[in-house]
Every structure is written in C-alpha cells, then in structure tokens.
Amino acid sequence: MDSRLLNNLNAQAGNTRDPVVWAKAVCRAASHYAGHGKTGEALTAIGVVRGQFGKNLHFEIASWLMLAEGVLHYFKAEIPEAYDRIRRAYGLAIALQNNSAFPSCAAWMAHLEFNSCRYEEMAKHLEEALTTAKRSDHQAIARASLVLATAYHISDQFELSRPWYESARLNAAAEGDDATVSATLHNMASIRASNIRLDDTFGGDIERETRRVALEATSSYVYDYAIGHKGLDFLTQMLSGLVSTLDKRYSEALGKIESIKIENVPERLRPLVLVDLAWCQVNLGQRETGWRVAIEIPTLLHSVKEDDDLAYIHSRLAQIGQACDESRFAESESKLAVEALSRHRHFQAALLSKLQAINTAGEWKSPAKAGL
C-alpha cells in the first residue's frame, strides 16, 4: 500500500512541467522508497533523475539527489557511503545557497553524527535544521525532532523527549510520511528497552517497564506490518528478541534471535545479538552451547562504541559466567560492567547538557511554543 506522501509526490511529478519541481518530487520519492526497504524502486527513481539531467544537474536538484542516494545507502546499512553522500548534499546546499534542501540535509547529518557518537556535531546540525526549517518543511522538522527526542531519551530524560517524539510524529503524519512515523514508534520502544535492560542486569524492578515496552514494541510491529515497512529489518528483530528476553520468555526469544542473519547486522551491534543468544541458551538448559558463544564475545567488543551497550554486554556475560560456574570470568566481567555503567552515566549528563544548549527557536512552532 502506497503512503499518502508517496501518492502526493507522484502527483507532483506527474502534474508539473517545471523540471526542478519534478526532480525534487522524484528524489523525495526515492528517499521514501529507501526508508521502506524498497531498494529497486529507489534506484529506479534516482536513475531517472540522473538520466534526465546527466552531468548538468540544476544546483537545487544536486543536493536533493545526493541526499536521496545517501538515504538509500543508510537504509542498506552502508553507513560510510551514506555519510559521504549526505555530507556532499549538505556541503552543496551551503555552497549553492540551496535553502530548500539545507534543513533536511542538516537534519540527516544530525542523524548520522548521533549514530556515530559525535554529539558536538549532532547538536550543531540539529540547531541548523530547527532554526532554518520553514513551518511547512515537515520532512526536516520530523527528522530533526526524532533525533532530538532519541537523544533526550538516551539521556534518561523521557519526559523531555516526549514533546519531541510528538513533534516528529505530527510532522511526519502531516504529509503522510509513514516511514518516519514507524521510526518514531520503533525508537520509543527500543530506547526504553535499552534503558531497562541495564536495570535487568544490574538489579532492579523492571516488571512495569517491561509491560510498557512490550506494548510499545507491539504497536511498532503492527504499524510496520500495516504499511509494509521493511527498512533495517534486523533492528526490529533485535528489539523483538530483547523484549522477549527481558520478559523471560526465553524459548520465544531464542527463536527470534536465531532468525536474525548476523551478517546483515552492523559489526558494532553483533555482540548484543550474541549475548542475548547465549543468555537464552543458558536459561533453556543449553549451558555448554551458551558458554561457547559467551566466551567468544569479549574478542568482538572492539567494535562496540557505546558504553551502555558495553555495560549490558559485560553484565550479562557476568550472569552467564555465574550460571556456568565460571566465577573468575564472572568477576572480571562484573568489574568491567560497573566501569562501563559509570562512564555511561557521565555520558548521559554530558549529553543532556549539550541538548539543553541547542537553539530550537525557528520559524516553525517548537513543541514548547505549540504546547505539545
């Protein structure tokens, strides 16, 4: 089922004689296809624009085309290529004073910098997007709002994240961008799960939060199914497996985790899949199998960038060591877990400080101004 946004973009492209209007609509359609995991359709749309203009790209189209190519790379999990193309789109928008494309390019740059843990750059690009976007630029506002909401949530400030999640949802819904609505639902559930997994491994009452994240995750799955969304499927599978693991439904969780094609998962996330796999196996009586998986995980941690991931992995490995009567391993992993958690708490405080310094007072109405 095509989204309202895609139908509107196709109508724009079909009803105009202005080559710039046509090309922008087709480029945006390519990005939308990419967000739904429809790589073939995205490539076709990009190819049509390149074929029409050849090497003589109109200055306004160059940024939109490179942004579409970068978004396609991103949803194919080709992150270095995505960064290169979107940074080029952003640079061209500045150099050629392409004000129509600049807010969206800045918002996507914020997204990529956030995922790469470059928070100073993320904050800079968020401010650029949110202070230059026109009120009707729902694409840029939704993407920037989602990044800001996600960052607040990771900082363990859900109440501060809520109005920005709402801004992302309302702006995406305003033009029928169901891929961004899907990302908003997914992020709310996945970050809540990421926060409560630490309580689960370090000790804490997670029953209420587990029920809440289960409901949020279910809403995300149902929405994705309804719209036929298939972008970055492995993230949905990882979330589903983690939620079942936290709820101690180990047999169900194991089935979900084993269905993940590990080669499709970025290297930095693979230890998270493997530690949940090992924990489920141990809890299902497959101690030797789980232990064999667990002892290989420390050799893979060079690729893990975020301390909350490291805190979770080390803490879960300590639990596996205790369950397998490997006390020395358990003690070592427990110490590493506590150190990583301490670094993560300091990081949360520093990130929150950066977020609160961002100027969001653009022409559009921010959540605070709109009373969301």
Side-chain angles (χ1 to χ4, degrees):
M1 178 180 70
D2 288 342
S3 70
R4 177 161 53 89
L5 174 59
L6 188 58
N7 288 333
N8 288 340
L9 291 171
N10 286 335
Q12 287 175 28
N15 295 332
T16 184
R17 294 184 178 180
D18 186 330
V20 175
V21 173
W22 170 82
K24 178 182 174 181
V26 176
C27 288
R28 286 209 59 198
S31 294
H32 193 68
Y33 281 130
H36 279 283
K38 297 181 179 180
T39 300
E41 291 90 334
L43 285 169
T44 297
I46 289 168
V48 167
V49 175
R50 283 212 171 270
Q52 182 67 28
F53 286 88
K55 295 182 179 180
N56 300 312
L57 276 174
H58 185 281
F59 80 92
E60 191 169 349
I61 297 309
S63 287
W64 286 110
L65 182 59
M66 289 185 181
L67 178 61
E69 291 172 338
V71 171
L72 177 57
H73 281 302
Y74 175 79
F75 283 105
K76 290 169 66 181
E78 298 168 350
I79 305 306
E81 294 84 353
Y83 188 84
D84 176 71
R85 298 311 286 174
I86 293 175
R87 183 174 59 176
R88 287 173 183 267
Y90 169 82
L92 278 175
I94 294 174
L96 301 177
Q97 298 184 345
N98 183 355
N99 296 330
S100 72
F102 177 74
S104 289
C105 292
W108 269 100
M109 284 298 298
H111 181 114
L112 293 175
E113 299 292 11
F114 175 74
N115 285 354
S116 298
C117 307
R118 292 188 286 262
Y119 301 109
E120 293 283 357
E121 289 298 306
M122 174 208 71
K124 167 193 164 185
H125 293 309
L126 281 177
E127 186 164 310
E128 289 172 338
L130 292 170
T131 56
T132 62
K134 302 297 183 183
R135 192 169 301 178
S136 60
D137 195 348
H138 299 296
Q139 176 185 215
I141 297 168
R143 177 59 51 181
S145 295
L146 180 56
V147 174
L148 191 48
T150 303
Y152 269 127
H153 202 172
I154 285 176
S155 300
D156 202 22
Q157 298 291 327
F158 179 66
E159 289 305 313
L160 293 177
S161 76
R162 286 178 66 179
W164 291 102
Y165 277 131
E166 187 71 354
S167 172
R169 185 186 66 80
L170 289 175
N171 278 280
E175 61 176 4
D177 183 359
D178 48 25
T180 301
V181 174
S182 169
T184 301
L185 293 172
H186 174 84
N187 282 20
M188 287 183 69
S190 64
I191 295 168
R192 190 180 302 281
S194 293
N195 287 338
I196 66 174
R197 68 186 178 174
L198 296 177
D199 291 331
D200 186 48
T201 53
F202 283 90
D205 183 6
I206 68 165
E207 183 177 352
R208 181 178 177 182
E209 284 293 279
T210 299
R211 287 198 301 269
R212 188 171 180 178
V213 76
L215 289 172
E216 290 176 344
T218 299
S219 295
S220 177
Y221 310 149
V222 170
Y223 187 82
D224 282 357
Y225 179 79
I227 66 173
H229 181 69
K230 296 181 179 179
L232 298 180
D233 276 352
F234 67 85
L235 290 176
T236 299
Q237 292 172 299
M238 287 178 63
L239 173 59
S240 182
L242 176 58
V243 170
S244 295
T245 300
L246 293 171
D247 205 28
K248 297 180 171 54
R249 292 178 278 121
Y250 296 116
S251 180
E252 176 184 307
L254 183 61
K256 293 175 179 179
I257 295 165
E258 288 181 332
S259 72
I260 298 172
K261 294 181 179 179
I262 197 71
E263 65 272 14
N264 292 340
V265 178
E267 189 178 4
R268 66 184 177 83
L269 299 179
R270 291 176 189 175
L272 292 168
V273 177
L274 295 174
V275 79
D276 285 343
L277 175 69
W279 180 239
C280 289
Q281 289 169 332
V282 167
N283 278 279
L284 290 170
Q286 303 171 28
R287 287 177 52 175
E288 291 185 6
T289 304
W291 176 244
R292 283 198 298 271
V293 174
I295 58 175
E296 294 298 322
I297 292 172
T299 67
L300 306 175
L301 296 183
H302 62 278
S303 63
V304 180
K305 297 182 178 181
E306 299 182 21
D307 283 317
D308 62 327
D309 289 340
L310 287 170
Y312 173 68
I313 292 166
H314 286 304
S315 188
R316 193 65 93 190
L317 285 173
Q319 291 179 322
I320 292 171
Q322 290 172 346
C324 295
D325 299 323
E326 298 287 345
S327 58
R328 184 174 297 179
F329 178 86
E331 290 172 7
S332 174
E333 290 299 314
S334 181
K335 180 181 178 182
L336 291 170
V338 170
E339 292 171 352
L341 182 62
S342 177
R343 294 194 303 270
H344 178 60
R345 297 305 186 209
H346 282 96
F347 152 77
Q348 287 179 312
L351 177 58
L352 179 60
S353 177
K354 289 183 176 67
L355 298 176
Q356 292 177 321
I358 296 173
N359 176 17
T360 63
E363 174 188 301
W364 69 288
K365 287 186 177 181
S366 69
K369 293 178 183 177
L372 295 177

